[in-house]
Amino acid sequence: MIPGRHSGHSSLVLTSRWYAALALGVVAFTIYGSYVPFHYHYRPWDEIRGAFLWALEERIHLESRSDMLANVMLGVPLGFGLLGAARVDRTGFGRSVMVALLIWPLCTLFATVVEFFQLYFPGRTCSSLDIIAQSSGAVIGLVGWLVVGQTATNRIRRAWSDPRAGGVPGQFLLAYLGLVLLIQLLPLDLTLSPANVYHKIRANEVTATPFAEWKDPHANHWTLLETGLDLVGLFLPVGLIAARLPGRIWRSPWGLPVVVLCGIVIGLVTEAGQLFVSRHPSTTDALFACAGTTLGWIAARISTRNDKTGISLEAALIFGQLWLAVLVFTHWHPFNFGHPAPSRFASVEWVPFSDAAEKNYLGALDLVLERLVLFAPFGVLVTAVGLGPVGRGRIAGGCVLGLTAAFVLEAGQYFLPTRNPSTTDVVTAGIGALCGAVFARQARAVVREPRSEYEASGAVKA
């Protein structure tokens, strides 16, 4: 074992159970995503065997870079998580290599079995290239653990309890910024060709003048506003988390110009990244990102005058109602309610994520991640209210609130002919609210307890 693994808070995070949960989650996600909407159709063994051998021999050519990248991304956390679960806090590089050599065939076997059983589900595609991609991703994950796994684990554990690195808020902020960047760059159909970027700019696919698209006489301003509000919601947590960072600049009125500047820089960086994918970079979107960051910081400062306490119930109700109003607009606009046609009920996809399976994997991931973020504030508000520790009941309450809000919004879409209700949105909203509640509990724990031996000894001043 690694010396000192049980000191401080380090034993609470990134243990073997964490990595095992990561691997198990990837397995469950892969199986569910490969067979949804679960329209099983029996086929004789000889037929299925022949179809599988044909797929292995013929379907080996690259048809979609984004699909291949999605399969590689599925394999990376699987290999990393399995080896982390087996070797975290254990010495012996040679033994880790031996375990990795044992895990890789299991990852390849898992990918092969998943592809084989797709032949029983019409509409799904069995491909040897998918097996190769997932197996290659597993190799990347295994090598990643061997190279940086234990080192990264130790550093994250130290940062988790050391306020000099931003503590828990700093780590959450970096992780969330990475998530935002991923959402903004999906579907990750990357091109690094300077010629492609040049032609994109020449073709006016980049909006350099703020709000230039709003001046287009053919533009739908309500749709543009809806998109802008989605961006505000996406970047709102950046400001909320920044308000919890250590340092007086983040906790005083003089921090407002710094937050505004950081919001603009973050927005411009994410929009600049869209030059290399099939997205439309816009300085207008960067301003909406700045607005979301700034509003999040202001809301956090107003609602938590004293860092030792949570927000008041009145503030939580006000912010919750305001955010619900934003979601009502983005979900129900243009509010053309009417009596649904008899076929409307039968057209609803009742199996979660079955509608996402009909789209490009990475394009569907974009929508799922956005839904997670937009409903996370409900979990944050429920968990951040009042004093004292937060138990599982409060976290469950935040999740239920997110699920209830999503259910009402999706039920309303049933009566809107231009909208499509989806159980996927309800499930992802509940998960988003749950993630928000867990984050809020961790943030509260940071300000209630000394976070490291540096604070306890007085080396770090308040």
Side-chain angles (χ1 to χ4, degrees), residues 43-93:
R43 298 173 66 179
W45 169 253
D46 290 340
E47 178 184 338
I48 210 78
R49 177 176 175 273
F52 183 65
L53 293 176
W54 177 87
L56 292 180
E57 294 177 0
E58 300 296 332
R59 285 184 174 160
I60 197 172
H61 303 291
L62 178 62
E63 297 180 359
S64 171
R65 288 187 300 172
S66 59
D67 283 348
M68 185 188 71
L69 181 59
N71 281 287
V72 172
M73 291 174 62
L74 283 175
V76 173
L78 180 61
F80 192 89
L82 287 174
L83 189 54
R87 298 300 300 169
V88 66
D89 296 327
R90 297 182 182 276
T91 58
F93 181 79

Side-chain angles (χ1 to χ4, degrees), residues 89-326:
D89 296 327
R90 297 182 182 276
T91 58
F93 181 79
R95 293 182 180 180
S96 296
V97 172
M98 292 300 297
V99 174
L101 292 176
L102 293 175
I103 290 176
W104 179 66
L106 296 178
C107 294
T108 304
L109 177 62
F110 171 70
T112 304
V113 171
V114 168
E115 290 297 316
F116 173 79
F117 280 100
Q118 281 188 335
L119 294 170
Y120 288 100
F121 295 86
R124 312 303 297 185
T125 302
C126 175
S127 170
S128 59
L129 187 62
D130 291 349
I131 299 175
I132 295 173
Q134 292 185 37
S135 180
S136 301
V139 171
I140 295 173
L142 292 169
V143 173
W145 174 265
L146 292 173
V147 176
V148 300
Q150 187 63 57
T151 301
T153 298
N154 294 337
R155 290 183 176 179
I156 292 174
R157 286 171 173 174
R158 286 195 297 268
W160 188 270
S161 58
D162 186 357
R164 298 184 304 174
V168 175
Q171 293 302 310
F172 269 113
L173 182 58
L174 289 175
Y176 186 77
L177 288 175
L179 176 63
V180 168
L181 183 62
L182 174 63
I183 293 174
Q184 292 292 83
L185 296 183
L186 284 170
L188 289 179
D189 45 355
L190 298 171
T191 175
L192 299 179
S193 171
N196 290 341
V197 174
Y198 173 77
H199 289 305
K200 189 172 188 177
I201 296 174
R202 293 284 295 176
N204 293 324
E205 296 181 12
V206 177
T207 303
T209 304
F211 297 100
E213 59 267 51
W214 289 65
K215 300 176 182 178
D216 187 346
H218 303 289
N220 187 327
H221 293 92
W222 289 113
T223 301
L224 292 174
L225 178 59
E226 180 181 336
T227 303
L229 290 176
D230 283 340
L231 283 170
V232 170
L234 180 62
F235 284 87
L236 192 71
V238 176
L240 291 172
I241 301 172
R244 310 300 303 176
L245 291 173
R248 293 183 179 179
I249 191 64
W250 303 107
R251 300 167 183 264
S252 68
W254 298 107
L256 180 58
V258 177
V259 173
V260 172
L261 179 61
C262 290
I264 293 176
V265 171
I266 292 171
L268 290 175
V269 168
T270 55
E271 291 301 312
Q274 293 183 356
L275 286 169
F276 305 98
V277 295
S278 58
R279 301 286 290 262
H280 187 125
S282 170
T283 53
T284 307
D285 292 348
L287 292 178
F288 276 116
C290 176
T293 302
T294 305
L295 288 175
W297 183 85
I298 293 175
R301 299 295 354 123
I302 291 176
S303 60
T304 54
R305 296 291 188 183
N306 184 349
D307 287 338
K308 299 296 183 182
T309 66
I311 67 175
S312 66
L313 178 60
E314 293 78 8
L317 289 174
I318 292 173
F319 290 136
Q321 292 176 64
L322 289 174
W323 189 241
L324 181 61
V326 171

Side-chain angles (χ1 to χ4, degrees), residues 386-421:
L387 303 172
V390 177
R392 295 180 179 177
R394 188 90 73 87
I395 292 179
C399 180
V400 171
L401 179 61
L403 284 170
T404 303
F407 177 80
V408 172
L409 293 172
E410 294 301 315
Q413 288 187 344
Y414 181 75
F415 301 94
L416 295 167
T418 56
R419 298 284 185 168
N420 296 311

Side-chain angles (χ1 to χ4, degrees), residues 362-448:
L362 295 178
L365 179 62
D366 181 10
L367 300 177
V368 169
L369 292 178
E370 284 191 8
R371 178 70 45 172
L372 290 174
V373 171
L374 292 178
F375 282 83
F378 290 109
V380 171
L381 291 174
V382 171
T383 309
V385 171
L387 303 172
V390 177
R392 295 180 179 177
R394 188 90 73 87
I395 292 179
C399 180
V400 171
L401 179 61
L403 284 170
T404 303
F407 177 80
V408 172
L409 293 172
E410 294 301 315
Q413 288 187 344
Y414 181 75
F415 301 94
L416 295 167
T418 56
R419 298 284 185 168
N420 296 311
S422 170
T423 55
T424 301
D425 293 347
V426 177
V427 173
T428 52
I431 297 174
L434 176 63
C435 293
V438 172
F439 159 72
R441 182 177 68 170
Q442 294 293 343
R444 289 176 60 123
V446 169
V447 299
R448 283 202 314 270

